[in-house]
Amino acid sequence: MKSWPDVAIPLLDLDKPMPTLALTNSKTNRKEDVLTRETYRMYVCGITPYDATHLGHAATYLTFDLINRYLRTTGSDVKYVQNITDIDDPLLERANRDNVDWQNLATSQIDLFRADMVHLRVIPPNHYIGAVEAIDLVTASISSLERAGTIYPIGDDLYFKNYSSPQFGKLSHLTKNEMATIFAERGGNPTLQGKVDPLDCLVWMAQRPNEPGWPSVHGKGRPGWHIECTAIALKYLEPDERQSTSIDIQGGGSDLIFPHHEMCASQAHVLTGKELAATYVHSAMIGLDGEKMSKSKGNLVFVSKLISAGVDPMVIRFALISQHYRKDRMWSDEVLVDATKRVARIREALSLNSVGQTDTVIAGVINALSQDLDTPAAIYAVEDWAEQSINGATGGDAHNLSTALDALLGLAL
Ligand code: ZN
């Protein structure tokens, strides 16, 4: 699948090495330093293209963009892979509801997503892989799981025994009852007749009438969602055999911890004998005007709609990163108005001929980001500098700060 155009990260001329990045690992619930690597492997779950990018999606991709930028600025390479679930029940349901062809719907929404990512200056993945193009990969992974004795049929569908991995349940920290409840709420089918365990998940769905299917050794059908990500991550990130985990960072929104990431981790553990990721990172949810933002409530705010209404994409980016990625937060018109004013104030300071000390501000931004992406503190340091500069402080170089904001925060101001 075509990704989107690359975004250049300007080089920073720093006089000392950047601190090690610490991130909160959902598996341990602790803030941990990421291991120093020449090459990092990061997988972030992509969208199901029945609706373009809402602000919750955007916040998630911005979180991993900040990680990507930080690690690259330290001089490391980052292999970044993202999938796109271009065949799944929600896509077919939406296409049916709107009486449109599912492929046309997917193509139009993927195009919109790419445009949104370009506007928000998100660094593209090295591999952007659709479920449809990964079908051979997925069926090969299912065959490997089958050889490990972890697959069984219900009718013509295939299910994976999640408890095959002793790690199952250790990412989400949920009890079995809690898992069953959430599984049912998020598209799972814990009460389905014929299951060995209620939490086993679908890996191959035989073709249904009037639905698409692809031929495979498992019959004609389509992949389940979890195995799609597991197979794509393990293939395209090219895990290094010498490392103790297959990849360094697996990420997504916090609503993916269970069942999606828990089940991917279980499948990957069976396939490789190793933990999938060293660090599991999850971005919190964005609500609207005091309510959860969700497709069922019909209150999603879309990036493309804001942009076509004339909102500056850098203001959207600023507004989303001005609060911490792990904090559930609200969007409202006031948030946008506030961000617009704050961005204008920083731009005003950056345009001055003489500005306050900038080296300390850049160091402050780097230090804040190194501490679990503390973007509120990073932005506070910049705003404090802006006020002092507007009030006559001198001794800095606005161009250097502007370059650092571009490289580290992705803000082209
Ligand atoms: Zn995924």
Side-chain angles (χ1 to χ4, degrees), residues 164-182:
S164 307
S165 164
Q167 293 289 313
F168 185 66
K170 292 189 175 157
L171 172 60
S172 58
H173 312 283
L174 297 168
T175 65
K176 191 164 184 184
N177 279 343
E178 288 167 336
M179 286 198 270
T181 305
I182 298 173

Side-chain angles (χ1 to χ4, degrees), residues 62-382:
L62 291 177
T63 296
F64 294 94
D65 192 56
L66 293 171
I67 294 174
N68 200 348
R69 286 170 180 276
Y70 192 94
L71 295 175
R72 286 183 192 220
T73 304
T74 63
S76 293
D77 185 23
V78 179
K79 283 189 182 181
Y80 176 26
V81 174
Q82 189 180 133
N83 70 310
I84 180 145
T85 307
D86 57 357
I87 182 65
D88 204 3
D89 289 344
L91 176 66
L92 296 175
E93 282 159 16
R94 176 62 63 92
N96 254 336
R97 188 199 78 178
D98 296 349
N99 204 18
V100 294
D101 175 69
W102 66 271
Q103 283 166 302
N104 290 345
L105 175 63
T107 304
S108 65
Q109 298 305 304
I110 295 167
D111 283 345
L112 213 46
F113 178 74
R114 287 192 191 101
D116 291 339
M117 292 298 105
V118 170
H119 278 122
L120 294 174
R121 305 189 77 243
V122 173
I123 297 164
N126 305 93
H127 297 282
Y128 187 45
I129 306 296
V132 172
E133 64 187 321
I135 282 175
D136 288 348
L137 202 59
V138 171
T139 56
S141 295
I142 296 171
S143 297
S144 299
L145 291 173
E146 204 164 37
R147 285 193 292 277
T150 62
I151 296 287
Y152 64 91
I154 299 180
D156 292 328
D157 299 338
L158 295 179
Y159 279 79
F160 168 69
K161 297 176 191 169
N162 272 301
Y163 281 101
S164 307
S165 164
Q167 293 289 313
F168 185 66
K170 292 189 175 157
L171 172 60
S172 58
H173 312 283
L174 297 168
T175 65
K176 191 164 184 184
N177 279 343
E178 288 167 336
M179 286 198 270
T181 305
I182 298 173
F183 193 36
E185 287 165 4
R186 295 184 177 163
N189 46 9
T191 56
L192 181 73
Q193 283 277 322
K195 278 189 149 186
V196 174
D197 185 281
L199 295 176
D200 293 343
C201 64
L202 179 75
V203 287
W204 188 253
M205 185 180 186
Q207 187 176 22
R208 305 294 198 260
N210 303 315
E211 287 190 4
W214 288 263
S216 83
V217 292
H218 310 295
K220 199 168 185 189
R222 57 184 164 98
W225 176 34
H226 315 306
I227 192 68
E228 169 196 337
C229 281
T230 310
I232 293 173
L234 292 179
K235 164 79 177 172
Y236 286 93
L237 283 170
E238 301 174 317
D240 182 335
E241 291 298 320
R242 295 165 298 176
Q243 290 173 3
S244 62
T245 64
S246 294
I247 67 173
D248 296 294
I249 294 166
Q250 190 199 28
S254 58
D255 54 345
L256 296 190
I257 297 175
F258 190 87
H260 187 49
H261 287 173
E262 188 81 78
M263 294 185 177
C264 291
S266 175
Q267 293 167 347
H269 191 226
V270 171
L271 288 168
T272 65
K274 297 203 268 202
E275 178 85 45
L276 173 60
T279 314
Y280 297 87
V281 180
H282 293 97
S283 177
M285 298 287 110
I286 308 285
L288 177 70
D289 299 326
E291 282 203 47
K292 192 173 182 293
M293 212 186 274
S294 72
K295 59 177 182 289
S296 56
K297 287 208 171 88
N299 63 350
L300 297 173
V301 177
F302 294 99
V303 171
S304 53
K305 290 201 174 138
L306 290 175
I307 292 172
S308 54
V311 178
D312 177 350
M314 287 301 98
V315 168
I316 301 173
R317 184 166 178 125
F318 181 96
L320 288 172
I321 67 173
S322 63
Q323 293 195 57
H324 195 257
Y325 79 95
R326 296 189 68 240
K327 184 179 171 218
D328 285 334
R329 50 211 195 271
M330 285 297 153
W331 184 266
S332 64
D333 287 344
E334 291 74 47
V335 169
L336 198 53
V337 169
D338 177 61
T340 306
K341 284 187 198 151
R342 292 166 70 188
V343 166
R345 196 78 174 154
I346 297 170
R347 280 187 170 138
E348 183 186 341
L350 287 171
S351 69
L352 296 170
N353 287 327
S354 174
V355 296
Q357 245 292 323
T358 40
D359 287 354
T360 48
V361 187
I362 295 169
V365 168
I366 290 173
N367 273 327
L369 288 173
S370 75
Q371 291 302 311
D372 203 20
L373 306 178
D374 189 351
T375 48
I379 287 173
Y380 176 78
V382 178

